[in-house]
Amino acid sequence: MHDAQHPFHTLTPNFIMDAVESQGYRCDCRTSALNSYENRVYQVGIEEEKPLITKFYRPGRWSDEQIVEEHRFCLELAEHELSVVAPIVNASGESLFHYQGFRFALYPRQGGHAPEFDNDDNLLILGRMLGRIHSIGSVRPFQHRPALESRDFGYDSVALIGERFIPQEYRESYEAVTSQLLQVVDEAFASVPQVRYIRAHGDCHAGNILWRDDAPHFVDFDDARMAPAVQDLWMMLSGERPRQLVQLAQLIKGYEEFCDFNPAELRLVEALRALRMLHYSAWLARRWDDPAFPTAFPWFNTVRYWGEHILQLREQVAALDEPPLVLL
């Protein structure tokens, strides 16, 4: 697909500034693209004020109700003095704006760097922050946003790849390993009675946390959904099992100062990792008609990629057979 055929081709600097100025700001003609693929995000200079961050939402991904629900969650957290980068609300109480067929939101600029997950003191602080976020997230459910489940992240992802992307020479291997993987994922979820789903960040990796002034600032709630609490914790763990146990202990120590944690959810860590692996490949596949994706991910959809992906899925089946992490 050529650039001119993709909706994001419309987002020229003039278009971006016109959209921002439609909300009463006066731009100083400085725009710069930030690292984002699912949506398009820009820093826009504002005359005599600090720059703003502008997010243009990918057409067709979320409904207006789902986007507004994410915004309200962020604003609710901010009202409780939690350091999340929430959207700017205009005088009419709106945070989602429309301009010539696009939906966009405005955010204050927040500086910072990725947190050091190897730093135990940082993990304690992150655990406290997530405990506070989840204590608020558990008060009420999302009404419009979906839950993180194996049907959407797993089965639908596998169906898409199997139908349109997997090379013929790998088809049988892919079908066999994904069938086995999804079976053990479902068994893992079934083994945890009454998994509690709460409003969660959903994509809590280092790139979505900005560390500044000895504190974390959580950004980009675009993937927020109903999920087990452990979904926002497991991506902060790294290294071999002994190191992960130490990291987990620090996270939960801080977390439980503000919110109870169900240790049984630790049985879901590898199942959630498996679903993320399947969903990530399907995400790249679904976005392959966006010209930014072949440029940024040239290794995707090559024969080598699918061979390595199948090997990783087999390793994940083995990981699911290992004893789950435990609290020290």
Side-chain angles (χ1 to χ4, degrees):
M1 180 175 286
H2 300 296
D3 287 14
Q5 294 177 275
H6 197 275
F8 283 145
H9 178 76
T10 306
L11 299 179
T12 62
N14 283 338
F15 185 96
I16 294 164
M17 290 187 289
D18 288 344
V20 173
E21 290 187 343
S22 73
Q23 289 304 307
Y25 297 94
R26 190 168 181 83
C27 300
D28 65 8
C29 295
R30 292 179 299 167
T31 64
S32 57
L34 302 182
N35 188 25
S36 178
Y37 297 104
E38 181 60 16
N39 304 297
R40 293 295 189 269
V41 182
Y42 304 89
Q43 178 173 294
V44 180
I46 305 298
E47 287 191 359
E48 299 181 0
E49 296 183 38
K50 294 180 179 180
L52 294 176
I53 304 302
T54 307
K55 176 194 284 187
F56 288 87
Y57 289 92
R58 178 174 292 275
R61 185 190 179 211
W62 294 123
S63 68
D64 283 10
E65 292 81 5
Q66 289 169 327
I67 295 173
V68 169
E69 193 166 49
E70 173 223 326
H71 289 184
R72 288 176 178 168
F73 182 39
C74 290
L75 292 165
E76 183 182 355
L77 295 173
E79 287 171 0
H80 285 79
E81 300 183 348
L82 290 174
S83 186
V84 300
V85 181
I88 293 171
V89 179
N90 66 12
S92 301
E94 299 169 325
S95 59
L96 178 62
F97 312 121
H98 296 76
Y99 184 78
Q100 294 190 15
F102 278 93
R103 298 169 299 170
F104 71 99
L106 300 171
Y107 294 83
R109 184 179 63 173
Q110 172 65 56
H113 57 83
E116 298 176 4
F117 290 156
D118 283 337
N119 185 310
D120 290 351
D121 290 336
N122 286 2
L123 290 172
L124 183 66
I125 293 170
L126 286 164
R128 288 171 179 156
M129 182 69 166
L130 280 172
R132 295 180 66 195
I133 290 174
H134 286 179
S135 68
I136 297 166
S138 61
V139 169
R140 67 183 65 87
F142 284 133
Q143 296 297 322
H144 301 286
R145 289 197 155 235
L148 198 170
E149 297 176 333
S150 63
R151 171 54 56 189
D152 179 13
F153 270 55
Y155 289 92
D156 290 350
S157 296
V158 168
L160 172 68
I161 296 301
E163 178 182 344
R164 295 172 47 193
F165 285 86
I166 195 73
Q168 185 60 40
E169 60 264 40
Y170 283 125
R171 181 173 299 279
E172 184 176 347
S173 297
Y174 181 78
E175 290 176 350
V177 71
T178 53
S179 176
Q180 183 182 10
L181 184 59
L182 288 170
Q183 179 181 341
V184 292
V185 164
D186 287 341
E187 289 172 354
F189 273 88
S191 72
V192 183
Q194 298 179 331
V195 176
R196 187 186 185 195
Y197 281 75
I198 63 173
R199 291 178 295 172
H201 183 286
D203 193 26
C204 212
H205 58 76
N208 284 333
I209 305 171
L210 296 175
W211 195 270
R212 186 174 184 177
D213 300 327
D214 295 323
H217 308 273
F218 283 68
V219 301
D220 196 3
F221 281 71
D222 194 61
D223 286 300
R225 60 183 63 227
M226 300 298 294
V230 75
Q231 169 64 13
D232 282 349
L233 295 165
W234 71 264
M235 277 181 267
M236 298 184 188
L237 307 177
S238 61
E240 298 298 323
R241 182 183 176 91
R243 179 57 188 153
Q244 289 190 35
L245 291 174
V246 173
Q247 293 171 328
L248 179 64
Q250 285 295 98
L251 281 170
I252 299 303
K253 180 181 178 181
Y255 186 94
E256 291 198 315
E257 291 181 20
F258 297 95
C259 191
D260 292 335
F261 178 74
N262 177 10
E265 287 190 13
L266 294 174
R267 286 182 252 166
L268 301 179
V269 168
E270 295 305 327
L272 291 166
R273 192 191 311 275
L275 291 178
R276 185 175 179 85
M277 293 167 66
L278 295 171
H279 182 261
Y280 181 71
S281 286
W283 173 66
L284 292 173
R286 291 187 179 99
R287 302 295 180 248
W288 206 237
D289 63 350
D290 181 338
F293 277 69
T295 300
F297 309 100
W299 37 262
F300 176 71
N301 206 30
T302 62
V303 172
R304 178 177 178 179
Y305 168 80
W306 291 115
E308 292 176 349
H309 182 59
I310 290 170
L311 177 60
Q312 291 168 351
L313 295 181
R314 286 173 176 158
E315 292 172 347
Q316 192 58 26
V317 170
L320 275 155
D321 195 41
E322 295 293 323
L325 295 172
V326 295
L327 294 178
L328 295 177

PDB file of all heavy atoms in Angstrom, residues 57-71:
ATOM      1  N   TYR A  57      -5.376   9.182  16.942  1.00  0.00           N
ATOM      2  CA  TYR A  57      -5.728   7.780  17.109  1.00  0.00           C
ATOM      3  C   TYR A  57      -5.878   7.075  15.761  1.00  0.00           C
ATOM      4  O   TYR A  57      -6.380   7.647  14.797  1.00  0.00           O
ATOM      5  CB  TYR A  57      -7.035   7.654  17.899  1.00  0.00           C
ATOM      6  CG  TYR A  57      -6.860   8.027  19.346  1.00  0.00           C
ATOM      7  CD1 TYR A  57      -7.080   9.336  19.774  1.00  0.00           C
ATOM      8  CD2 TYR A  57      -6.448   7.091  20.289  1.00  0.00           C
ATOM      9  CE1 TYR A  57      -6.897   9.692  21.107  1.00  0.00           C
ATOM     10  CE2 TYR A  57      -6.261   7.433  21.617  1.00  0.00           C
ATOM     11  CZ  TYR A  57      -6.487   8.746  22.018  1.00  0.00           C
ATOM     12  OH  TYR A  57      -6.291   9.090  23.324  1.00  0.00           O
ATOM     13  N   ARG A  58      -5.428   5.823  15.742  1.00  0.00           N
ATOM     14  CA  ARG A  58      -5.555   5.013  14.531  1.00  0.00           C
ATOM     15  C   ARG A  58      -7.034   4.806  14.226  1.00  0.00           C
ATOM     16  O   ARG A  58      -7.795   4.324  15.074  1.00  0.00           O
ATOM     17  CB  ARG A  58      -4.867   3.665  14.712  1.00  0.00           C
ATOM     18  CG  ARG A  58      -4.980   2.734  13.505  1.00  0.00           C
ATOM     19  CD  ARG A  58      -4.162   1.483  13.700  1.00  0.00           C
ATOM     20  NE  ARG A  58      -2.732   1.781  13.702  1.00  0.00           N
ATOM     21  CZ  ARG A  58      -1.979   1.877  12.611  1.00  0.00           C
ATOM     22  NH1 ARG A  58      -2.522   1.665  11.419  1.00  0.00           N
ATOM     23  NH2 ARG A  58      -0.702   2.153  12.695  1.00  0.00           N
ATOM     24  N   PRO A  59      -7.478   5.161  13.026  1.00  0.00           N
ATOM     25  CA  PRO A  59      -8.892   4.971  12.682  1.00  0.00           C
ATOM     26  C   PRO A  59      -9.314   3.511  12.814  1.00  0.00           C
ATOM     27  O   PRO A  59      -8.596   2.596  12.414  1.00  0.00           O
ATOM     28  CB  PRO A  59      -8.963   5.441  11.223  1.00  0.00           C
ATOM     29  CG  PRO A  59      -7.802   6.386  11.069  1.00  0.00           C
ATOM     30  CD  PRO A  59      -6.716   5.816  11.946  1.00  0.00           C
ATOM     31  N   GLY A  60     -10.478   3.307  13.427  1.00  0.00           N
ATOM     32  CA  GLY A  60     -11.074   1.980  13.477  1.00  0.00           C
ATOM     33  C   GLY A  60     -10.626   1.081  14.601  1.00  0.00           C
ATOM     34  O   GLY A  60     -11.167  -0.012  14.751  1.00  0.00           O
ATOM     35  N   ARG A  61      -9.652   1.524  15.425  1.00  0.00           N
ATOM     36  CA  ARG A  61      -9.180   0.632  16.475  1.00  0.00           C
ATOM     37  C   ARG A  61     -10.103   0.669  17.686  1.00  0.00           C
ATOM     38  O   ARG A  61     -10.634  -0.347  18.115  1.00  0.00           O
ATOM     39  CB  ARG A  61      -7.757   0.985  16.889  1.00  0.00           C
ATOM     40  CG  ARG A  61      -7.227  -0.044  17.903  1.00  0.00           C
ATOM     41  CD  ARG A  61      -5.933   0.359  18.533  1.00  0.00           C
ATOM     42  NE  ARG A  61      -5.527  -0.675  19.485  1.00  0.00           N
ATOM     43  CZ  ARG A  61      -4.837  -0.439  20.584  1.00  0.00           C
ATOM     44  NH1 ARG A  61      -4.471   0.790  20.882  1.00  0.00           N
ATOM     45  NH2 ARG A  61      -4.510  -1.421  21.394  1.00  0.00           N
ATOM     46  N   TRP A  62     -10.251   1.830  18.297  1.00  0.00           N
ATOM     47  CA  TRP A  62     -11.124   1.999  19.451  1.00  0.00           C
ATOM     48  C   TRP A  62     -12.324   2.853  19.067  1.00  0.00           C
ATOM     49  O   TRP A  62     -12.221   3.732  18.216  1.00  0.00           O
ATOM     50  CB  TRP A  62     -10.397   2.687  20.605  1.00  0.00           C
ATOM     51  CG  TRP A  62      -9.267   1.963  21.255  1.00  0.00           C
ATOM     52  CD1 TRP A  62      -7.982   2.406  21.377  1.00  0.00           C
ATOM     53  CD2 TRP A  62      -9.300   0.695  21.925  1.00  0.00           C
ATOM     54  NE1 TRP A  62      -7.212   1.500  22.060  1.00  0.00           N
ATOM     55  CE2 TRP A  62      -7.996   0.435  22.412  1.00  0.00           C
ATOM     56  CE3 TRP A  62     -10.295  -0.251  22.156  1.00  0.00           C
ATOM     57  CZ2 TRP A  62      -7.668  -0.720  23.111  1.00  0.00           C
ATOM     58  CZ3 TRP A  62      -9.966  -1.404  22.853  1.00  0.00           C
ATOM     59  CH2 TRP A  62      -8.681  -1.630  23.322  1.00  0.00           C
ATOM     60  N   SER A  63     -13.448   2.623  19.716  1.00  0.00           N
ATOM     61  CA  SER A  63     -14.597   3.503  19.562  1.00  0.00           C
ATOM     62  C   SER A  63     -14.377   4.761  20.394  1.00  0.00           C
ATOM     63  O   SER A  63     -13.517   4.804  21.281  1.00  0.00           O
ATOM     64  CB  SER A  63     -15.877   2.796  20.022  1.00  0.00           C
ATOM     65  OG  SER A  63     -15.840   2.584  21.426  1.00  0.00           O
ATOM     66  N   ASP A  64     -15.169   5.791  20.127  1.00  0.00           N
ATOM     67  CA  ASP A  64     -15.084   7.010  20.934  1.00  0.00           C
ATOM     68  C   ASP A  64     -15.310   6.687  22.407  1.00  0.00           C
ATOM     69  O   ASP A  64     -14.617   7.212  23.291  1.00  0.00           O
ATOM     70  CB  ASP A  64     -16.118   8.037  20.478  1.00  0.00           C
ATOM     71  CG  ASP A  64     -15.705   8.750  19.193  1.00  0.00           C
ATOM     72  OD1 ASP A  64     -14.718   8.327  18.562  1.00  0.00           O
ATOM     73  OD2 ASP A  64     -16.380   9.735  18.825  1.00  0.00           O
ATOM     74  N   GLU A  65     -16.282   5.808  22.676  1.00  0.00           N
ATOM     75  CA  GLU A  65     -16.603   5.466  24.072  1.00  0.00           C
ATOM     76  C   GLU A  65     -15.417   4.790  24.751  1.00  0.00           C
ATOM     77  O   GLU A  65     -15.137   5.036  25.930  1.00  0.00           O
ATOM     78  CB  GLU A  65     -17.818   4.542  24.122  1.00  0.00           C
ATOM     79  CG  GLU A  65     -19.128   5.189  23.701  1.00  0.00           C
ATOM     80  CD  GLU A  65     -19.315   5.250  22.199  1.00  0.00           C
ATOM     81  OE1 GLU A  65     -18.455   4.686  21.463  1.00  0.00           O
ATOM     82  OE2 GLU A  65     -20.299   5.859  21.750  1.00  0.00           O
ATOM     83  N   GLN A  66     -14.697   3.947  24.023  1.00  0.00           N
ATOM     84  CA  GLN A  66     -13.547   3.249  24.605  1.00  0.00           C
ATOM     85  C   GLN A  66     -12.390   4.208  24.873  1.00  0.00           C
ATOM     86  O   GLN A  66     -11.700   4.091  25.889  1.00  0.00           O
ATOM     87  CB  GLN A  66     -13.105   2.120  23.675  1.00  0.00           C
ATOM     88  CG  GLN A  66     -14.073   0.957  23.645  1.00  0.00           C
ATOM     89  CD  GLN A  66     -13.769  -0.039  22.543  1.00  0.00           C
ATOM     90  OE1 GLN A  66     -13.289   0.341  21.462  1.00  0.00           O
ATOM     91  NE2 GLN A  66     -14.040  -1.310  22.797  1.00  0.00           N
ATOM     92  N   ILE A  67     -12.185   5.170  23.981  1.00  0.00           N
ATOM     93  CA  ILE A  67     -11.120   6.152  24.193  1.00  0.00           C
ATOM     94  C   ILE A  67     -11.455   7.049  25.373  1.00  0.00           C
ATOM     95  O   ILE A  67     -10.607   7.302  26.244  1.00  0.00           O
ATOM     96  CB  ILE A  67     -10.887   6.992  22.922  1.00  0.00           C
ATOM     97  CG1 ILE A  67     -10.373   6.105  21.786  1.00  0.00           C
ATOM     98  CG2 ILE A  67      -9.887   8.119  23.203  1.00  0.00           C
ATOM     99  CD1 ILE A  67     -10.273   6.824  20.445  1.00  0.00           C
ATOM    100  N   VAL A  68     -12.684   7.528  25.416  1.00  0.00           N
ATOM    101  CA  VAL A  68     -13.093   8.400  26.520  1.00  0.00           C
ATOM    102  C   VAL A  68     -12.996   7.655  27.850  1.00  0.00           C
ATOM    103  O   VAL A  68     -12.604   8.233  28.878  1.00  0.00           O
ATOM    104  CB  VAL A  68     -14.516   8.941  26.278  1.00  0.00           C
ATOM    105  CG1 VAL A  68     -15.060   9.630  27.534  1.00  0.00           C
ATOM    106  CG2 VAL A  68     -14.526   9.912  25.111  1.00  0.00           C
ATOM    107  N   GLU A  69     -13.315   6.384  27.857  1.00  0.00           N
ATOM    108  CA  GLU A  69     -13.226   5.597  29.085  1.00  0.00           C
ATOM    109  C   GLU A  69     -11.782   5.505  29.567  1.00  0.00           C
ATOM    110  O   GLU A  69     -11.507   5.591  30.771  1.00  0.00           O
ATOM    111  CB  GLU A  69     -13.801   4.208  28.845  1.00  0.00           C
ATOM    112  CG  GLU A  69     -14.053   3.425  30.114  1.00  0.00           C
ATOM    113  CD  GLU A  69     -14.917   2.208  29.873  1.00  0.00           C
ATOM    114  OE1 GLU A  69     -14.627   1.433  28.937  1.00  0.00           O
ATOM    115  OE2 GLU A  69     -15.896   2.026  30.623  1.00  0.00           O
ATOM    116  N   GLU A  70     -10.852   5.336  28.641  1.00  0.00           N
ATOM    117  CA  GLU A  70      -9.430   5.351  29.007  1.00  0.00           C
ATOM    118  C   GLU A  70      -9.048   6.706  29.596  1.00  0.00           C
ATOM    119  O   GLU A  70      -8.365   6.795  30.622  1.00  0.00           O
ATOM    120  CB  GLU A  70      -8.570   5.071  27.773  1.00  0.00           C
ATOM    121  CG  GLU A  70      -7.071   5.235  28.004  1.00  0.00           C
ATOM    122  CD  GLU A  70      -6.362   5.966  26.876  1.00  0.00           C
ATOM    123  OE1 GLU A  70      -6.771   5.804  25.712  1.00  0.00           O
ATOM    124  OE2 GLU A  70      -5.394   6.700  27.177  1.00  0.00           O
ATOM    125  N   HIS A  71      -9.488   7.788  28.945  1.00  0.00           N
ATOM    126  CA  HIS A  71      -9.180   9.134  29.441  1.00  0.00           C
ATOM    127  C   HIS A  71      -9.717   9.339  30.853  1.00  0.00           C
ATOM    128  O   HIS A  71      -9.019   9.881  31.727  1.00  0.00           O
ATOM    129  CB  HIS A  71      -9.791  10.188  28.512  1.00  0.00           C
ATOM    130  CG  HIS A  71      -9.111  10.291  27.182  1.00  0.00           C
ATOM    131  ND1 HIS A  71      -9.464  11.227  26.235  1.00  0.00           N
ATOM    132  CD2 HIS A  71      -8.088   9.573  26.634  1.00  0.00           C
ATOM    133  CE1 HIS A  71      -8.695  11.090  25.170  1.00  0.00           C
ATOM    134  NE2 HIS A  71      -7.863  10.083  25.387  1.00  0.00           N
TER     135      HIS A  71
END
